[in-house]
Amino acid sequence: MENKGIENYGWSAAWEKRWSEEQLGLESKRPARIIADHGHMQRLITADGECWGKVSGKLRHDSLETGLAPAVGDWVAVAGEQGEEVIIHHVLSRQSRVSRQAAGPVTKEQLIAANVDALLIVAALNHDFNLRRLERYVLMAWNGGVRPVIVLSKSDLCDDVQGRIREVEGIAPGVEVLAISAIEGQGKEMLETYLKPGATVALTGSSGSGKSTLVNWMMGKDVQITQSVREGDSRGRHTTTHREMFVLPQGAVLIDTPGMRELHLWDEGEEGLSQAFGEIEELSGACRFMDCSHTKEEGCAVKEAIANGELDEKRLNNFLKMQKEMQYQRRKEEVASRKRTASSKPVKTRKAKHAHRAKDWEQD
Protein backbone atom coordinates (compact mmCIF):
# COMPACT_ATOMS: atom_id res chain seq x y z
CA MET A 1 0.00 0.00 0.00
CA GLU A 2 1.50 3.36 -1.02
CA ASN A 3 0.87 5.89 1.74
CA LYS A 4 3.54 8.54 1.31
CA GLY A 5 0.88 11.22 1.38
CA ILE A 6 -0.19 10.25 4.89
CA GLU A 7 3.21 9.24 6.25
CA ASN A 8 3.92 12.94 6.65
CA TYR A 9 0.93 13.04 9.00
CA GLY A 10 2.03 10.19 11.26
CA TRP A 11 1.07 7.04 9.37
CA SER A 12 3.41 4.27 10.50
CA ALA A 13 3.91 0.51 10.62
CA ALA A 14 1.99 0.47 13.90
CA TRP A 15 -1.04 2.13 12.29
CA GLU A 16 -0.70 -0.15 9.27
CA LYS A 17 -0.95 -3.11 11.65
CA ARG A 18 -3.97 -1.62 13.42
CA TRP A 19 -5.61 -1.03 10.03
CA SER A 20 -5.12 -4.71 9.16
CA GLU A 21 -6.52 -5.81 12.52
CA GLU A 22 -9.65 -3.68 12.10
CA GLN A 23 -10.22 -4.47 8.42
CA LEU A 24 -13.60 -6.13 9.00
CA GLY A 25 -15.77 -5.02 6.11
CA LEU A 26 -13.30 -2.30 5.12
CA GLU A 27 -11.66 -3.99 2.14
CA SER A 28 -12.95 -1.32 -0.25
CA LYS A 29 -11.96 1.57 2.04
CA ARG A 30 -8.69 3.46 2.36
CA PRO A 31 -7.01 5.09 5.38
CA ALA A 32 -7.14 8.82 6.02
CA ARG A 33 -6.50 11.18 8.89
CA ILE A 34 -8.75 14.04 9.93
CA ILE A 35 -6.62 17.19 9.77
CA ALA A 36 -9.31 19.86 10.33
CA ASP A 37 -12.82 19.94 11.74
CA HIS A 38 -15.29 22.48 10.36
CA GLY A 39 -18.39 21.11 12.08
CA HIS A 40 -20.48 19.17 9.56
CA MET A 41 -17.47 18.73 7.26
CA GLN A 42 -13.94 17.46 7.88
CA ARG A 43 -10.76 17.97 5.90
CA LEU A 44 -8.72 14.80 5.50
CA ILE A 45 -5.39 13.63 4.19
CA THR A 46 -5.18 10.39 2.18
CA ALA A 47 -2.42 8.70 0.21
CA ASP A 48 -3.56 10.80 -2.78
CA GLY A 49 -3.64 14.14 -0.98
CA GLU A 50 -6.22 16.29 0.80
CA CYS A 51 -9.98 16.02 0.40
CA TRP A 52 -13.23 16.89 2.13
CA GLY A 53 -15.39 14.32 3.84
CA LYS A 54 -18.36 13.76 6.08
CA VAL A 55 -19.43 11.05 8.49
CA SER A 56 -21.68 8.24 7.27
CA GLY A 57 -25.18 7.97 8.66
CA LYS A 58 -24.38 4.79 10.58
CA LEU A 59 -21.21 6.23 12.12
CA ARG A 60 -23.08 9.40 13.04
CA HIS A 61 -25.74 7.30 14.78
CA ASP A 62 -23.07 5.30 16.62
CA SER A 63 -21.39 8.55 17.64
CA LEU A 64 -24.62 9.75 19.20
CA GLU A 65 -24.72 6.58 21.28
CA THR A 66 -21.13 6.90 22.48
CA GLY A 67 -21.00 10.69 22.51
CA LEU A 68 -17.74 10.60 20.55
CA ALA A 69 -17.74 11.87 16.99
CA PRO A 70 -14.57 11.61 14.88
CA ALA A 71 -12.07 14.34 15.78
CA VAL A 72 -8.90 15.95 14.45
CA GLY A 73 -6.09 13.40 14.76
CA ASP A 74 -8.34 10.39 14.21
CA TRP A 75 -7.32 7.77 11.64
CA VAL A 76 -10.41 6.73 9.70
CA ALA A 77 -11.54 4.49 6.86
CA VAL A 78 -13.07 6.39 3.94
CA ALA A 79 -14.76 5.54 0.66
CA GLY A 80 -14.97 7.69 -2.44
CA GLU A 81 -13.00 8.68 -5.50
CA GLN A 82 -10.09 11.10 -5.45
CA GLY A 83 -11.27 14.63 -6.08
CA GLU A 84 -14.70 13.88 -4.64
CA GLU A 85 -16.20 14.29 -1.20
CA VAL A 86 -15.51 11.07 0.70
CA ILE A 87 -17.56 9.29 3.33
CA ILE A 88 -16.05 8.36 6.71
CA HIS A 89 -17.18 4.86 7.68
CA HIS A 90 -14.94 3.80 10.56
CA VAL A 91 -12.62 5.27 13.21
CA LEU A 92 -9.53 3.24 14.10
CA SER A 93 -9.08 2.56 17.81
CA ARG A 94 -7.48 5.58 19.46
CA GLN A 95 -4.16 5.26 21.26
CA SER A 96 -4.82 8.45 23.27
CA ARG A 97 -7.16 11.41 23.36
CA VAL A 98 -7.55 14.89 24.77
CA SER A 99 -11.10 15.54 25.93
CA ARG A 100 -13.20 17.48 28.38
CA GLN A 101 -16.76 17.66 29.66
CA ALA A 102 -18.74 19.45 26.97
CA ALA A 103 -20.25 22.82 27.81
CA GLY A 104 -23.94 22.88 28.66
CA PRO A 105 -26.26 20.88 30.90
CA VAL A 106 -25.84 17.54 29.08
CA THR A 107 -23.24 15.10 30.44
CA LYS A 108 -21.16 14.44 27.36
CA GLU A 109 -17.50 14.02 26.50
CA GLN A 110 -16.11 16.50 23.98
CA LEU A 111 -13.14 15.13 22.08
CA ILE A 112 -10.59 17.86 21.38
CA ALA A 113 -7.86 15.83 19.65
CA ALA A 114 -7.05 12.15 19.10
CA ASN A 115 -3.86 10.07 18.91
CA VAL A 116 -1.68 12.71 20.56
CA ASP A 117 1.79 11.90 21.88
CA ALA A 118 2.40 15.11 23.83
CA LEU A 119 0.09 17.93 24.93
CA LEU A 120 1.81 21.32 25.00
CA ILE A 121 -0.03 23.26 27.70
CA VAL A 122 0.62 26.93 27.01
CA ALA A 123 0.42 29.47 29.85
CA ALA A 124 1.50 33.08 29.49
CA LEU A 125 3.77 34.64 32.09
CA ASN A 126 1.59 37.71 32.46
CA HIS A 127 -1.28 38.77 34.73
CA ASP A 128 -3.40 35.80 33.61
CA PHE A 129 -0.92 33.22 35.00
CA ASN A 130 -2.82 30.69 37.14
CA LEU A 131 -1.39 27.58 38.85
CA ARG A 132 -4.79 26.06 39.64
CA ARG A 133 -5.78 26.23 35.98
CA LEU A 134 -2.52 24.53 34.99
CA GLU A 135 -3.30 21.66 37.35
CA ARG A 136 -6.55 21.07 35.49
CA TYR A 137 -4.83 20.98 32.11
CA VAL A 138 -2.21 18.52 33.38
CA LEU A 139 -4.96 16.26 34.72
CA MET A 140 -6.79 16.43 31.37
CA ALA A 141 -3.64 15.17 29.65
CA TRP A 142 -2.99 12.30 32.07
CA ASN A 143 -6.66 11.27 31.93
CA GLY A 144 -6.40 10.74 28.16
CA GLY A 145 -3.08 8.90 28.19
CA VAL A 146 -1.17 11.90 26.81
CA ARG A 147 2.18 13.20 28.04
CA PRO A 148 1.81 16.79 29.33
CA VAL A 149 4.47 19.43 28.71
CA ILE A 150 4.00 22.89 30.22
CA VAL A 151 5.12 25.76 27.99
CA LEU A 152 5.44 29.11 29.77
CA SER A 153 5.11 31.64 26.96
CA LYS A 154 5.90 35.36 26.90
CA SER A 155 8.85 34.94 29.25
CA ASP A 156 10.01 38.39 28.13
CA LEU A 157 7.13 39.84 30.21
CA CYS A 158 8.24 38.18 33.45
CA ASP A 159 10.86 39.52 35.88
CA ASP A 160 11.35 36.18 37.70
CA VAL A 161 11.14 33.37 35.14
CA GLN A 162 13.04 30.85 37.27
CA GLY A 163 10.74 31.54 40.21
CA ARG A 164 7.69 30.84 38.04
CA ILE A 165 9.28 27.63 36.75
CA ARG A 166 9.81 26.43 40.33
CA GLU A 167 6.17 27.21 41.17
CA VAL A 168 4.93 25.20 38.20
CA GLU A 169 7.27 22.30 38.92
CA GLY A 170 5.79 22.22 42.41
CA ILE A 171 2.26 21.58 41.10
CA ALA A 172 3.28 19.29 38.23
CA PRO A 173 5.73 16.65 39.54
CA GLY A 174 7.53 14.85 36.72
CA VAL A 175 6.22 17.21 34.03
CA GLU A 176 8.78 19.15 31.99
CA VAL A 177 8.39 22.92 32.17
CA LEU A 178 9.74 25.10 29.33
CA ALA A 179 9.97 28.90 29.37
CA ILE A 180 9.97 30.50 25.93
CA SER A 181 9.65 33.83 24.19
CA ALA A 182 8.65 33.84 20.53
CA ILE A 183 9.25 37.60 20.41
CA GLU A 184 12.87 37.23 21.54
CA GLY A 185 13.41 33.82 19.91
CA GLN A 186 14.22 32.02 23.17
CA GLY A 187 13.50 28.37 23.99
CA LYS A 188 12.71 27.02 20.52
CA GLU A 189 15.43 24.35 20.72
CA MET A 190 13.78 22.94 23.88
CA LEU A 191 10.43 22.69 22.11
CA GLU A 192 11.96 20.94 19.14
CA THR A 193 12.86 17.88 21.25
CA TYR A 194 9.12 17.03 21.10
CA LEU A 195 8.78 17.70 17.37
CA LYS A 196 10.42 14.57 15.96
CA PRO A 197 9.20 13.10 12.64
CA GLY A 198 6.12 10.93 13.14
CA ALA A 199 5.14 12.54 16.46
CA THR A 200 1.77 14.22 17.01
CA VAL A 201 1.64 17.11 19.45
CA ALA A 202 -1.33 19.28 20.39
CA LEU A 203 -1.49 22.81 21.72
CA THR A 204 -3.96 23.87 24.38
CA GLY A 205 -4.33 26.71 26.85
CA SER A 206 -6.38 29.75 27.70
CA SER A 207 -7.31 32.45 25.21
CA GLY A 208 -4.48 34.96 24.96
CA SER A 209 -1.76 32.55 26.09
CA GLY A 210 0.07 32.93 22.78
CA LYS A 211 -0.76 29.65 21.05
CA SER A 212 -1.24 31.17 17.60
CA THR A 213 2.05 33.05 17.87
CA LEU A 214 3.69 29.78 18.93
CA VAL A 215 2.26 27.96 15.89
CA ASN A 216 3.62 30.61 13.54
CA TRP A 217 6.99 30.47 15.31
CA MET A 218 7.27 26.69 14.98
CA MET A 219 6.06 26.75 11.37
CA GLY A 220 8.52 29.48 10.41
CA LYS A 221 5.72 31.45 8.73
CA ASP A 222 2.36 33.04 9.55
CA VAL A 223 -0.37 30.41 9.30
CA GLN A 224 -2.51 31.60 12.21
CA ILE A 225 -3.94 35.05 12.90
CA THR A 226 -2.68 36.63 16.13
CA GLN A 227 -4.21 39.34 18.32
CA SER A 228 -2.93 41.34 21.26
CA VAL A 229 -4.36 40.80 24.74
CA ARG A 230 -6.14 43.38 26.89
CA GLU A 231 -3.66 45.33 28.98
CA GLY A 232 -5.89 45.41 32.07
CA ASP A 233 -6.14 41.68 32.75
CA SER A 234 -3.93 40.06 30.05
CA ARG A 235 -6.98 38.24 28.65
CA GLY A 236 -7.17 37.52 24.94
CA ARG A 237 -9.82 36.80 22.36
CA HIS A 238 -10.16 33.54 20.44
CA THR A 239 -7.99 33.73 17.31
CA THR A 240 -8.12 30.00 16.51
CA THR A 241 -11.74 29.19 15.63
CA HIS A 242 -11.45 25.49 14.81
CA ARG A 243 -9.13 22.54 15.38
CA GLU A 244 -6.53 22.11 12.68
CA MET A 245 -3.39 20.05 12.03
CA PHE A 246 -0.14 21.37 10.60
CA VAL A 247 2.96 19.53 9.36
CA LEU A 248 5.94 21.21 11.03
CA PRO A 249 9.33 21.68 9.34
CA GLN A 250 10.82 19.52 12.11
CA GLY A 251 8.73 16.55 10.91
CA ALA A 252 6.07 16.35 13.61
CA VAL A 253 2.40 17.19 13.14
CA LEU A 254 0.82 19.83 15.36
CA ILE A 255 -2.85 20.12 16.31
CA ASP A 256 -3.87 23.66 17.25
CA THR A 257 -7.07 24.09 19.25
CA PRO A 258 -9.21 27.11 20.17
CA GLY A 259 -8.45 28.73 23.52
CA MET A 260 -10.57 27.71 26.49
CA ARG A 261 -12.26 30.07 28.95
CA GLU A 262 -13.23 27.17 31.22
CA LEU A 263 -12.05 23.58 31.45
CA HIS A 264 -14.55 21.08 32.82
CA LEU A 265 -12.79 17.77 33.25
CA TRP A 266 -13.95 14.47 31.77
CA ASP A 267 -13.25 11.55 34.08
CA GLU A 268 -11.40 8.52 32.74
CA GLY A 269 -10.85 6.91 36.16
CA GLU A 270 -8.51 7.65 39.05
CA GLU A 271 -5.24 7.08 37.19
CA GLY A 272 -5.01 10.62 35.84
CA LEU A 273 -5.71 12.14 39.26
CA SER A 274 -3.02 9.95 40.81
CA GLN A 275 -0.47 11.04 38.21
CA ALA A 276 -1.33 14.74 38.39
CA PHE A 277 -1.25 14.77 42.20
CA GLY A 278 1.33 12.07 42.79
CA GLU A 279 2.69 13.51 46.04
CA ILE A 280 -0.80 13.61 47.59
CA GLU A 281 -1.43 10.00 46.56
CA GLU A 282 1.91 9.01 48.08
CA LEU A 283 1.16 10.81 51.35
CA SER A 284 -2.28 9.17 51.48
CA GLY A 285 -0.60 5.81 52.01
CA ALA A 286 0.52 7.00 55.46
CA CYS A 287 -2.92 8.20 56.58
CA ARG A 288 -4.46 6.38 59.56
CA PHE A 289 -7.64 5.57 57.62
CA MET A 290 -7.62 3.98 54.15
CA ASP A 291 -10.63 6.06 53.07
CA CYS A 292 -9.25 9.30 54.50
CA SER A 293 -10.86 12.35 52.90
CA HIS A 294 -7.94 14.60 53.95
CA THR A 295 -10.32 17.11 55.49
CA LYS A 296 -10.94 16.46 59.19
CA GLU A 297 -9.76 12.96 60.11
CA GLU A 298 -7.18 12.43 62.80
CA GLY A 299 -3.90 10.89 61.66
CA CYS A 300 -4.13 12.41 58.15
CA ALA A 301 -0.64 12.46 56.68
CA VAL A 302 -1.72 14.94 54.00
CA LYS A 303 -2.95 17.51 56.52
CA GLU A 304 0.21 16.95 58.53
CA ALA A 305 2.33 17.70 55.44
CA ILE A 306 0.46 21.00 55.05
CA ALA A 307 1.08 21.87 58.70
CA ASN A 308 4.79 21.13 58.21
CA GLY A 309 4.99 23.27 55.08
CA GLU A 310 5.72 20.29 52.83
CA LEU A 311 2.49 20.67 50.84
CA ASP A 312 0.62 23.76 49.68
CA GLU A 313 -2.92 23.80 51.09
CA LYS A 314 -4.20 25.39 47.86
CA ARG A 315 -2.94 22.35 45.97
CA LEU A 316 -4.84 19.98 48.26
CA ASN A 317 -7.98 22.11 47.93
CA ASN A 318 -7.74 21.93 44.14
CA PHE A 319 -7.17 18.16 44.32
CA LEU A 320 -10.30 17.72 46.44
CA LYS A 321 -12.28 20.04 44.17
CA MET A 322 -11.35 18.13 41.00
CA GLN A 323 -11.90 14.77 42.71
CA LYS A 324 -15.39 15.85 43.72
CA GLU A 325 -16.06 17.29 40.25
CA MET A 326 -15.08 14.05 38.50
CA GLN A 327 -17.06 11.89 40.92
CA TYR A 328 -20.13 14.03 40.26
CA GLN A 329 -19.53 13.91 36.51
CA ARG A 330 -19.09 10.11 36.70
CA ARG A 331 -22.45 9.70 38.42
CA LYS A 332 -24.13 11.90 35.80
CA GLU A 333 -22.53 9.89 32.99
CA GLU A 334 -23.75 6.62 34.52
CA VAL A 335 -27.31 8.01 34.52
CA ALA A 336 -26.92 9.31 30.95
CA SER A 337 -25.50 5.97 29.82
CA ARG A 338 -28.48 4.09 31.25
CA LYS A 339 -30.81 6.48 29.45
CA ARG A 340 -28.97 5.96 26.14
CA THR A 341 -29.12 2.20 26.61
CA ALA A 342 -32.84 2.33 27.36
CA SER A 343 -33.57 4.51 24.31
CA SER A 344 -31.65 2.14 22.01
CA LYS A 345 -33.84 -0.91 22.74
CA PRO A 346 -35.36 -2.67 19.71
CA VAL A 347 -38.47 -0.93 18.46
CA LYS A 348 -40.74 -3.91 19.18
CA THR A 349 -39.90 -3.73 22.90
CA ARG A 350 -40.89 -0.07 23.18
CA LYS A 351 -44.31 1.08 24.20
CA ALA A 352 -46.14 2.71 21.31
CA LYS A 353 -46.20 6.48 21.56
CA HIS A 354 -50.01 6.60 21.82
CA ALA A 355 -50.56 3.19 23.41
CA HIS A 356 -53.55 2.85 25.75
CA ARG A 357 -52.92 2.28 29.42
CA ALA A 358 -54.54 -0.80 31.00
CA LYS A 359 -57.36 1.21 32.58
CA ASP A 360 -58.07 2.87 29.19
CA TRP A 361 -58.75 -0.54 27.68
CA GLU A 362 -61.03 -1.40 30.53
CA GLN A 363 -63.07 1.72 29.90
CA ASP A 364 -63.54 1.03 26.16
Side-chain angles (χ1 to χ4, degrees):
M1 184 184 297
E2 189 70 14
N3 288 317
K4 290 184 179 180
I6 54 177
E7 284 175 353
N8 291 332
Y9 286 83
W11 186 257
S12 63
W15 285 110
E16 184 83 48
K17 180 180 178 182
R18 187 166 298 188
W19 172 269
S20 299
E21 292 172 347
E22 300 184 20
Q23 262 280 306
L24 300 176
L26 301 177
E27 291 79 6
S28 61
K29 313 299 188 298
R30 53 195 172 121
R33 194 173 198 186
I34 299 177
I35 60 175
D37 186 353
H38 295 268
H40 67 289
M41 293 288 290
Q42 288 77 35
R43 199 162 82 247
L44 304 103
I45 184 71
T46 71
D48 299 315
E50 291 188 20
C51 63
W52 288 94
K54 61 182 180 181
V55 177
S56 69
K58 181 180 184 304
L59 184 55
R60 184 180 298 108
H61 177 269
D62 293 342
S63 298
L64 291 174
E65 294 294 321
T66 62
L68 286 180
V72 173
D74 268 324
W75 287 104
V76 297
V78 302
E81 298 298 325
Q82 179 63 20
E84 298 179 356
E85 179 184 292
V86 300
I87 303 298
I88 302 170
H89 290 274
H90 176 75
V91 179
L92 271 65
S93 300
R94 301 176 176 110
Q95 66 177 17
S96 65
R97 65 202 201 200
V98 179
S99 63
R100 65 175 178 175
Q101 160 65 34
V106 179
T107 302
K108 181 180 179 182
E109 180 179 8
Q110 180 185 16
L111 196 58
I112 298 170
N115 303 312
V116 174
D117 299 304
L119 179 65
L120 305 182
I121 303 167
V122 185
L125 289 175
N126 53 22
H127 299 305
D128 197 38
F129 181 77
N130 189 308
L131 290 173
R132 305 284 78 84
R133 185 192 300 143
L134 277 175
E135 286 175 327
R136 299 178 76 83
Y137 278 109
V138 170
L139 179 53
M140 177 177 69
W142 287 132
N143 273 346
V146 180
R147 179 182 182 180
V149 178
I150 297 175
V151 180
L152 301 179
S153 63
K154 306 182 183 181
S155 62
D156 54 289
L157 301 179
C158 181
D159 295 328
D160 185 13
V161 175
Q162 291 304 315
R164 286 300 196 193
I165 290 176
R166 287 193 294 271
E167 287 182 55
V168 175
E169 288 176 339
I171 60 95
V175 176
E176 185 166 7
V177 182
L178 312 177
I180 66 167
S181 171
I183 298 296
E184 297 186 349
Q186 296 178 353
K188 190 174 184 180
E189 68 284 351
M190 295 185 294
L191 268 178
E192 289 181 339
T193 61
Y194 296 95
L195 309 180
K196 304 298 184 184
T200 297
V201 297
L203 275 182
T204 191
S206 302
S207 301
S209 61
K211 296 192 310 305
S212 296
T213 299
L214 188 56
V215 172
N216 293 339
W217 191 37
M218 288 189 285
M219 286 290 292
K221 58 182 179 180
D222 291 342
V223 294
Q224 294 287 65
I225 299 172
T226 60
Q227 293 180 353
S228 59
V229 299
R230 297 194 299 257
E231 293 184 5
D233 57 7
S234 297
R235 292 295 182 92
R237 290 177 290 173
H238 296 290
T239 52
T240 302
T241 57
H242 60 275
R243 300 173 187 90
E244 186 170 5
M245 180 180 288
F246 301 92
V247 178
L248 298 174
Q250 297 85 351
V253 288
L254 172 72
I255 300 175
D256 191 18
T257 66
M260 300 183 194
R261 288 295 189 199
E262 296 181 346
L263 173 57
H264 298 287
L265 296 167
W266 181 262
D267 177 38
E268 289 292 338
E270 297 296 329
E271 185 177 347
L273 201 64
S274 298
Q275 288 180 293
F277 293 88
E279 79 281 29
I280 294 179
E281 290 293 308
E282 185 175 350
L283 287 166
S284 299
C287 290
R288 179 181 299 177
F289 304 104
M290 292 184 63
D291 59 347
C292 184
S293 65
H294 315 310
T295 54
K296 56 187 177 181
E297 295 90 344
E298 293 185 3
C300 175
V302 176
K303 299 293 286 185
E304 184 178 340
I306 291 175
N308 295 337
E310 299 172 11
L311 180 68
D312 186 352
E313 186 172 15
K314 291 181 179 179
R315 181 155 168 79
L316 172 62
N317 291 339
N318 205 32
F319 168 81
L320 296 174
K321 179 181 178 181
M322 286 193 277
Q323 184 183 57
K324 184 177 181 180
E325 178 183 330
M326 290 194 296
Q327 288 171 347
Y328 173 69
Q329 177 261 317
R330 191 184 308 153
R331 290 193 297 269
K332 288 183 64 179
E333 170 57 16
E334 289 172 354
V335 173
S337 179
R338 288 197 294 270
K339 288 182 178 179
R340 286 196 298 267
T341 301
S343 65
S344 62
K345 290 180 180 179
V347 176
K348 64 180 180 180
T349 66
R350 299 178 186 169
K351 182 177 179 180
K353 185 176 181 180
H354 301 293
H356 290 285
R357 294 171 296 177
K359 63 179 182 181
D360 293 333
W361 288 107
E362 292 170 359
Q363 293 172 353
D364 285 349

